[in-house]
C-alpha cells in the first residue's frame, strides 16, 4: 500500500514538471535545470557547460560588451559568465547568415580563410580545423587598402596611435675623439745667438711654469758685444750724440726687456743673462743641460698653455652633413665617465681620411682644473642646431622595407590605411616626414607591422576573390 502511494506521488510530480515546462515554452520563458536549482546560467541552451574559473562576463546577446564583474543589461538580464575552458576571445563572433541578412543590408562579397591563407569561398564554409570562414562585405571591398578591425582585436593587438606634430628634431651624433693641445698656445724657447748654458733651473718635463720664470742662465759673446755697444751709445747720447741701433740689436737677439732695462740703468753688461718663460704653461720638452753650447736657433724648452684645449672628433663621412659650425657638443672622458665638458664645434677640417673615411671636427673647451690632458680618449656627442620645426613622428611609426617607407593612418572607427611617406632627418627617437601626411593626422606607433601585414593580406585576397565575387 505504501509503495503504491509513493509511486503515485512520483508520477504526479513528473506530470506537473512537464506541464510547467510546456507552459513556460508557450510563454517564451527559458527555464532550465540550472535555473530551478538556483545556479547562475553562464551559457546559452545550445552550448556545453564551461569548466574552470570565470574569466570575464559577456553580453547575453553576444554583443562586444564585456565586464570583469557580474553585471546586467539595461533590461535586467544578467551577463553570461565565460569560463576558462570556453573560447576566451575579444573578437565578435560572426553572426549567422540569416541574422546578418536581417540586421545588416550590406552584401557579402566572399568569405576568406580565418587563418589568413590565400583561400576564399563564395559561400560560407569551414576550414580543416572547423573554423568558420570570415565574410568580406561590399563596403570593405570598396575601400582599397583600408582595413577594419573590431575594438576587441585592436585592444588585444596593442594598437596605439598619436597625432603628427611639428617640432624641432635634434639629431645627435655619437663619435670618438682625442684631446689635443691648442696649437696657438704652444711656445718654443730658443736663443738667437751662439751661447753657452751656464746653469739650468730645476725644471723638468711636466712641470708647470708661469710667465717670467727663470729657465736657464746663459753666456753669449754676441749678446755681450751688443750690450757694450748699447752702453757706449747711451753715454754718447748724454753728450748730445744721437742714439744708434744698439738697443734694436739687443731686441733682435731676443734679450728679455727686463735685461735691457737693467743695462740701461746700471750702465754695465752682465756676464750671464737669465732666460725666462714667455708664458704660463707646462713643460713639454727640455733640451738643455748645464755646460751645453747652444747654436743660434737652438731650442731650450717647449711649453704649452693648457687653459684652453682642443678635442678632435672623427665624424663619419655619411654623417658629416648633419654637423655645422657652432653646433653644441658634449665631451665625456673615458677615464672620467662622470665628468662632462660643454663646448661648440669650432672647425670642420676640409679633408677626409682615406683609410677611415672620417673627417676631423675640432671642439674648443675650457680646461677647468687642468683635467684634460693631451692624447686622452673621449666620447663626443654632437647635436644639430636647426631651429626650423618639421612634421615628425616616432621612429616606431615608420615601416622601412628598404624599397618603401610606410606609416599606418588611423582613420577612426577601427579603420586603418597604409600611406607611403618620404623621410627627412632623424634624431632623439623622431623622424621628419617631408611628404605623405599632414599635421594632425593620427598614425599608428605600435603594432603597425601587424596592420601592414593585414593590409597586404587584404590586397592579395581581393585579387584572388575578384573573379569569384562577380556573378
Amino acid at each position: 500500500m505504501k509503495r503504491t502511494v509513493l509511486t503515485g506521488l512520483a508520477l504526479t510530480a513528473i506530470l506537473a514538471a512537464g506541464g510547467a515546462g510546456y507552459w513556460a515554452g508557450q510563454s517564451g520563458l527559458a527555464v532550465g535545470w540550472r535555473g530551478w536549482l538556483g545556479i547562475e546560467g553562464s551559457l546559452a541552451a545550445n552550448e556545453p557547460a564551461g569548466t574552470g574559473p570565470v574569466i570575464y562576463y559577456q553580453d547575453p546577446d553576444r554583443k562586444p560588451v564585456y565586464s570583469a564583474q557580474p553585471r546586467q543589461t539595461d533590461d535586467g538580464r544578467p551577463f553570461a559568465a565565460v569560463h576558462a575552458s570556453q573560447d576566451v576571445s575579444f573578437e565578435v563572433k560572426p553572426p549567422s547568415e540569416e541574422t546578418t541578412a536581417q540586421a545588416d543590408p550590406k552584401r557579402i562579397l566572399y568569405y576568406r580563410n580565418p587563418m589568413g591563407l590565400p583561400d576564399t569561398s563564395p559561400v560560407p564554409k569551414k576550414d580543416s580545423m572547423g573554423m568558420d570562414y570570415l565574410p568580406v562585405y561590399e563596403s570593405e571591398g570598396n575601400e582599397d587598402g583600408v582595413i577594419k578591425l573590431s575594438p576587441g582585436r585592436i585592444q588585444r593587438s596593442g594598437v596605439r596611435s598619436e597625432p603628427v606634430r611639428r617640432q624641432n628634431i635634434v639629431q645627435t651624433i655619437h663619435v670618438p675623439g682625442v684631446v689635443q693641445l691648442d696649437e696657438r698656445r704652444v711656445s718654443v724657447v730658443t736663443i738667437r745667438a751662439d751661447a753657452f748654458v751656464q746653469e739650468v733651473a730645476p725644471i723638468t718635463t711636466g712641470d708647470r711654469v708661469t710667465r717670467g720664470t727663470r729657465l736657464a742662465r746663459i753666456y753669449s759673446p754676441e749678446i755681450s758685444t751688443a750690450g757694450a755697444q748699447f752702453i757706449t751709445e747711451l753715454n754718447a747720447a748724454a753728450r748730445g750724440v744721437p742714439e744708434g741701433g744698439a738697443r734694436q740689436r739687443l731686441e733682435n737677439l731676443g734679450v728679455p726687456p727686463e735685461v735691457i732695462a737693467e743695462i740701461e740703468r746700471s750702465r754695465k753688461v752682465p756676464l750671464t743673462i737669465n732666460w725666462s718663460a714667455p708664458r704660463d704653461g707646462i713643460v713639454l720638452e727640455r733640451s738643455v743641460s748645464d755646460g751645453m753650447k747652444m747654436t743660434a736657433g737652438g731650442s731650450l724648452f717647449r711649453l704649452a698653455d693648457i687653459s684652453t684645449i682642443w678635442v678632435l672628433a672623427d665624424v663619419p663621412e655619411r654623417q658629416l652633413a648633419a654637423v655645422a659650425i657652432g653646433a653644441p657638443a658634449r665631451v665625456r672622458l673615458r677615464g672620467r665617465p662622470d665628468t662632462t665638458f660643454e663646448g661648440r664645434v669650432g672647425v670642420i677640417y676640409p679633408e677626409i681620411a682615406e683609410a677611415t673615411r672620417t673627417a676631423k671636427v675640432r671642439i674648443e673647451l675650457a680646461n677647468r682644473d687642468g683635467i684634460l690632458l693631451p692624447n686622452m680618449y673621449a666620447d663626443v656627442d654632437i647635436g644639430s642646431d636647426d631651429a626650423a620645426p618639421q612634421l615628425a613622428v616616432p621612429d616606431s611609426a615608420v615601416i622601412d622595407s628598404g624599397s618603401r617607407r610606410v606609416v599606418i593612418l588611423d582613420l577612426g572607427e577601427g579603420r586603418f590605411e597604409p600611406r607611403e611617406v618620404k623621410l627627412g632627418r632623424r634624431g632623439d627617437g623622431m623622424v621628419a616626414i617631408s611628404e605623405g601626411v599632414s599635421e594632425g593626422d593620427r598614425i599608428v606607433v605600435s603594432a603597425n607591422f601587424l596592420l601592414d601585414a593585414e593590409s597586404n593580406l587584404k590586397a592579395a585576397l581581393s585579387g584572388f576573390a575578384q573573379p569569384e565575387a562577380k556573378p
Side-chain angles (χ1 to χ4, degrees):
M1 180 68 179
K2 184 176 181 180
R3 184 186 184 99
T4 304
V5 173
L6 292 176
T7 303
L9 291 175
L11 291 175
T12 303
I14 293 172
L15 291 175
Y22 176 78
W23 175 81
Q26 293 296 323
S27 302
L29 300 178
V31 180
W33 64 272
R34 294 176 64 89
W36 288 102
L37 294 178
I39 302 176
E40 180 186 3
S42 62
L43 300 173
N46 59 344
E47 292 186 359
T51 59
V54 176
I55 305 300
Y56 60 91
Y57 296 85
Q58 185 179 5
D59 187 275
D61 295 331
R62 296 295 187 181
K63 295 180 180 178
V65 180
Y66 310 92
S67 174
Q69 303 296 333
R71 58 176 292 189
Q72 294 183 347
T73 61
D74 295 338
D75 55 1
R77 292 179 299 157
F79 273 42
V82 180
H83 294 266
S85 64
Q86 296 171 307
D87 180 25
V88 182
S89 173
F90 293 103
E91 295 290 348
V92 181
K93 294 186 177 298
S96 62
E97 185 176 3
E98 180 180 358
T99 304
T100 303
Q102 296 175 357
D104 196 342
K106 295 186 294 185
R107 185 170 66 92
I108 296 177
L109 296 179
Y110 57 91
Y111 296 83
R112 67 179 179 88
N113 190 287
M115 301 301 293
L117 300 177
D119 180 23
T120 61
S121 172
V123 297
K125 62 179 293 189
K126 296 180 180 292
D127 63 1
S128 59
M129 296 184 292
M131 299 176 64
D132 292 329
Y133 273 46
L134 303 179
V136 177
Y137 296 96
E138 185 176 13
S139 61
E140 298 178 358
N142 292 337
E143 293 184 296
D144 294 336
V146 177
I147 58 175
K148 187 172 184 180
L149 303 180
S150 64
R153 185 170 184 183
I154 294 175
Q155 180 181 9
R156 186 177 64 180
S157 302
V159 177
R160 185 169 57 89
S161 59
E162 294 181 1
V164 179
R165 301 185 180 91
R166 288 189 178 274
Q167 64 182 68
N168 296 331
I169 298 181
V170 179
Q171 183 177 7
T172 304
I173 301 174
H174 307 279
V175 292
V178 179
V179 178
Q180 295 291 338
L181 294 170
D182 187 343
E183 297 172 355
R184 300 165 299 188
R185 297 175 179 267
V186 177
S187 299
V188 178
V189 181
T190 63
I191 189 168
R192 301 178 184 180
D194 293 343
F196 295 90
V197 179
Q198 191 76 15
E199 179 189 6
V200 181
I203 296 174
T204 59
T205 302
D207 290 342
R208 295 179 183 269
V209 297
T210 58
R211 179 184 176 88
T213 301
R214 184 176 67 88
L215 300 178
R217 187 159 55 88
I218 66 170
Y219 165 70
S220 172
E222 187 176 353
I223 293 178
S224 298
T225 302
Q229 183 181 358
F230 178 51
I231 293 175
T232 301
E233 290 186 359
L234 289 176
N235 294 332
R239 300 191 299 267
V241 179
E243 186 177 344
R247 179 190 295 271
Q248 185 66 43
R249 185 181 179 190
L250 288 174
E251 294 177 353
N252 293 341
L253 290 174
V255 179
E258 58 270 16
V259 174
I260 299 176
E262 179 63 22
I263 293 174
E264 186 177 3
R265 185 188 63 81
S266 64
R267 295 296 198 273
K268 292 182 180 180
V269 179
L271 180 63
T272 59
I273 298 175
N274 290 328
W275 221 251
S276 58
R279 70 189 316 156
D280 298 343
I282 60 173
V283 178
L284 301 178
E285 183 181 351
R286 169 179 162 165
S287 307
V288 295
S289 300
D290 293 349
M292 285 184 60
K293 179 183 179 181
M294 302 295 298
T295 59
S299 173
L300 303 178
F301 289 87
R302 187 165 170 261
L303 309 177
D305 182 2
I306 61 171
S307 59
T308 299
I309 210 160
W310 292 349
V311 174
L312 300 182
D314 295 321
V315 178
E317 182 180 2
R318 66 179 180 275
Q319 295 180 310
L320 193 59
V323 180
I325 301 296
R330 176 176 296 178
V331 178
R332 291 188 301 272
L333 298 178
R334 294 184 181 177
R336 294 173 177 262
D338 57 336
T339 304
T340 60
F341 295 83
E342 303 290 339
R344 290 190 174 273
V345 174
V347 175
I348 300 175
Y349 285 55
E351 182 181 7
I352 299 293
E354 186 175 356
T356 60
R357 307 308 303 171
T358 58
K360 297 288 185 183
V361 173
R362 190 171 77 198
I363 303 162
E364 297 185 15
L365 300 176
N367 189 10
R368 60 177 185 269
D369 301 328
I371 295 177
L372 295 169
L373 299 177
N375 299 321
M376 275 185 167
Y377 284 116
D379 294 316
V380 183
D381 297 336
I382 302 176
S384 60
D385 215 4
D386 188 3
Q390 298 175 290
L391 291 178
V393 298
D395 283 332
S396 60
V398 180
I399 303 173
D400 192 346
S401 64
S403 59
R404 64 170 192 155
R405 285 82 179 172
V406 175
V407 298
I408 306 297
L409 265 66
D410 186 351
L411 304 179
E413 299 180 356
R415 297 160 58 247
F416 302 90
E417 179 186 5
R419 182 77 59 82
E420 288 199 27
V421 295
K422 290 185 179 180
L423 305 183
R425 68 188 309 168
R426 296 176 182 265
D428 290 346
M430 305 295 290
V431 57
I433 303 293
S434 59
E435 185 178 333
V437 296
S438 302
E439 186 175 2
D441 290 345
R442 297 192 65 85
I443 51 100
V444 178
V445 297
S446 63
N448 46 2
F449 283 94
L450 299 177
L451 298 178
D452 186 55
E454 182 80 12
S455 174
N456 295 336
L457 176 62
K458 177 181 178 181
L461 292 176
S462 299
F464 278 109
Q466 290 282 346
E468 297 180 0
K470 295 179 180 180

